[in-house]
Amino acid sequence: MPQWLKRQLLKAFQTKNRRQILLLNDCWFLYNEKQGGQS
């Protein structure tokens, strides 16, 4: 997982921003698909 995405997720969880967590989760799955399904 890219460092920028980790920071964004941590910030979203700390502020309990549910909408941003869901958006970042979708971004991660799309990014992961584009990378060939690697972790």
Side-chain angles (χ1 to χ4, degrees):
M1 181 180 290
Q3 194 62 39
W4 63 268
L5 187 56
K6 286 181 187 179
R7 282 194 305 269
Q8 291 288 318
L9 275 168
L10 282 174
K11 186 177 177 185
F13 273 106
Q14 287 169 354
T15 59
K16 295 184 172 75
N17 188 341
R18 181 177 157 83
R19 204 176 109 213
Q20 188 172 13
I21 293 168
L22 293 172
L23 177 68
L24 290 167
N25 192 43
D26 286 343
C27 288
W28 166 240
F29 280 108
L30 286 172
Y31 174 86
N32 204 25
E33 268 184 20
K34 299 276 187 208
Q35 296 299 315
Q38 301 168 358
S39 292

